Amino acid sequence: MKLNIALLAGDGIGPEVIDQAVKVSDAVAAKFGHEINWKPALTGAAAIDAVGEPYPDETHEICKSSDAVLFGAIGHPRFDNDPSAKVRPEQGLLKMRKALGLFANVRPTFTFPSLLDKSPLKKERIEGTDLVFLRELTGGIYFGEKGRREEGETAFDNCVYTRAEVQRLAKKGFELAMTRGKKLCCVDKANVLETSRLWRETVQAMEKDYPEVEVSYEFVDAVAMRLVQWPNSYDVLITENLFGDILTDEASVISGSMGLMPSASLGSDIGLFEPIHGSYPQATGLNIANPMATVLSAAMMFENFGLLDEGKTIRAVVNKALNEGMVTEDLADGGKAYGTKEVGDWLASHI
């Protein structure tokens, strides 16, 4: 298979971890007889510095004409620390999701047997955890009308959803549940929010089309609690944009490190694959960032193309590295720590 992949390294540690995912992807492609044409493009603070926009038209054209997007990270402290900034790196990410129609963020959370003791949660609570969040990405409060009134003394952010937006996300959730444990949890705040009541009634109306799926409905605050109490009670969870943003970061610590968790953002035509961690500017250029989440995002990319053996090969070599202690400092736990590049080279060579 010949694959055209847009390569958006972004900011901070993004370029460093992306480089390792490219090494591993090229090794897998060589092993299985595929050809990858990487198409680099600017986004985030790097794009603002170069052309004044966080998601330039040229980048969009490259993404739109590619089979998938492999993405690093976005964000820079000089924007974080300036509330008055009119142009921000994160605006590029939101614009990209909207422009490419990436409405479903898929975030798996799973544990690694060799790392159970590194989680802040007790081993007996997290062992066997294997859940997936589907977060709606292009609606809700992040995209609603926002502004100031009363001379800037009052601020507002509107949360708006249409039934169609809920249906397309829920459909993916039901379909994913059918391939897994056939359990689906709709996360909302229907006791307070009208948008949540729309979510709940829409999903309830879809239950009849998936009679094999056991559906539950839970308030977001209850799920936030249960995620740290009994995470392995969940299978597939669907939720709106803001709730999903918060809950998926909470769930990421179950594995022991945000540096291990991949994600995908899917639409009708193209998928974007990225680690869930941020740009980690403090580590930029130090060769200490954990590249495994980005590498596992590449595994999800191959699997999305139907190349399951390729994805399985990447997952296997990551597990081998973890078992053998070929890890960066966040997982070294007092033992020998290896650099970002060294881990990437090891993974590629063992493929």
Side-chain angles (χ1 to χ4, degrees):
M1 183 179 285
K2 184 172 182 178
L3 302 171
N4 292 305
I5 309 297
L7 194 64
L8 276 57
D11 307 321
I13 62 170
E16 297 170 65
V17 294
I18 278 286
D19 283 350
Q20 313 321 309
V22 168
K23 290 177 189 175
V24 171
S25 297
D26 285 342
V28 167
K31 181 181 179 71
F32 287 90
H34 306 303
E35 180 184 342
I36 301 178
N37 175 32
W38 299 104
K39 301 163 69 176
L42 289 170
T43 191
I48 294 174
D49 290 343
V51 298
E53 292 288 337
Y55 183 63
D57 291 343
E58 182 181 353
T59 296
H60 178 62
E61 290 304 314
I62 289 173
C63 292
K64 194 170 66 171
S65 64
S66 299
D67 299 309
V69 180
L70 189 61
F71 177 73
I74 260 183
H76 194 283
R78 75 172 185 272
F79 297 95
D80 297 339
N81 298 327
D82 182 6
S84 64
K86 300 300 183 185
V87 181
R88 296 177 176 278
E90 292 77 11
Q91 291 170 345
L93 188 56
L94 297 178
K95 182 180 178 182
M96 177 166 55
R97 289 170 178 169
K98 198 76 169 179
L100 295 176
L102 304 175
F103 64 85
N105 182 232
V106 184
R107 283 202 183 184
T109 296
F110 45 86
T111 54
F112 300 86
S114 61
L115 299 179
L116 288 174
D117 292 331
K118 295 188 183 299
S119 173
L121 302 182
K122 293 180 179 179
K123 178 179 178 180
E124 58 268 26
R125 290 197 180 274
I126 64 170
E127 203 161 15
T129 296
D130 181 10
L131 59 88
V132 181
F133 271 97
L134 266 73
R135 165 192 167 195
E136 201 287 323
L137 267 190
T138 57
I141 200 166
Y142 291 173
F143 289 91
E145 183 185 0
K146 52 182 59 48
R148 297 282 186 102
R149 55 176 178 253
E150 298 173 7
E151 298 182 344
E153 296 302 304
T154 300
F156 63 90
D157 298 272
N158 290 342
C159 182
V160 179
Y161 269 107
T162 66
R163 193 177 304 276
E165 287 175 321
V166 179
Q167 286 172 331
R168 66 182 182 179
L169 191 281
K171 182 174 185 292
K172 281 192 177 293
F174 275 109
E175 291 172 349
L176 181 59
M178 285 294 294
T179 69
R180 292 171 48 90
K182 297 184 179 178
K183 290 170 59 181
L184 181 74
C185 178
C186 177
V187 183
D188 59 36
K189 194 62 177 169
N191 57 338
V192 177
L193 301 177
E194 192 62 34
T195 48
S196 283
R197 288 190 273 274
L198 175 68
W199 270 77
R200 187 168 290 210
E201 70 182 47
T202 302
V203 176
Q204 286 174 336
M206 297 173 70
E207 284 188 38
K208 65 182 184 303
D209 299 324
Y210 303 90
E212 295 179 56
V213 178
E214 176 189 342
V215 185
S216 62
Y217 300 86
E218 296 186 33
F219 297 146
V220 60
D221 43 345
V223 173
M225 177 183 68
R226 287 188 61 191
L227 271 178
V228 296
Q229 289 181 311
W230 309 289
N232 55 15
S233 66
Y234 292 114
D235 180 25
V236 177
L237 303 93
I238 58 173
T239 192
E240 62 94 66
N241 208 341
L242 175 60
F243 295 163
D245 194 0
I246 296 167
L247 290 176
T248 52
D249 273 13
E250 181 192 8
S252 71
V253 305
I254 292 171
S255 69
S257 172
M258 286 185 74
L260 291 170
M261 291 291 103
S263 76
S265 297
L266 306 177
S268 55
D269 298 319
I270 191 171
L272 179 146
F273 302 86
E274 61 176 312
I276 72 165
H277 59 67
S279 59
Y280 193 13
Q282 304 93 324
T284 302
L286 300 181
N287 194 38
I288 61 173
N290 188 344
M292 289 186 179
T294 316
V295 169
L296 289 170
S297 297
M300 291 183 73
M301 179 182 73
F302 280 107
E303 290 162 352
N304 194 59
F305 289 128
L307 303 176
L308 303 185
D309 287 340
E310 289 81 343
K312 185 178 179 181
T313 297
I314 294 175
R315 295 181 189 281
V317 79
V318 167
N319 275 309
K320 182 178 176 66
L322 294 173
N323 289 333
E324 297 186 13
M326 175 52 65
V327 295
T328 45
E329 66 174 25
D330 58 313
L331 297 176
D333 197 23
K336 181 171 175 54
Y338 295 86
T340 307
K341 295 176 183 176
E342 288 70 33
V343 171
D345 289 340
W346 191 97
L347 294 170
S349 65
H350 280 71
I351 286 173

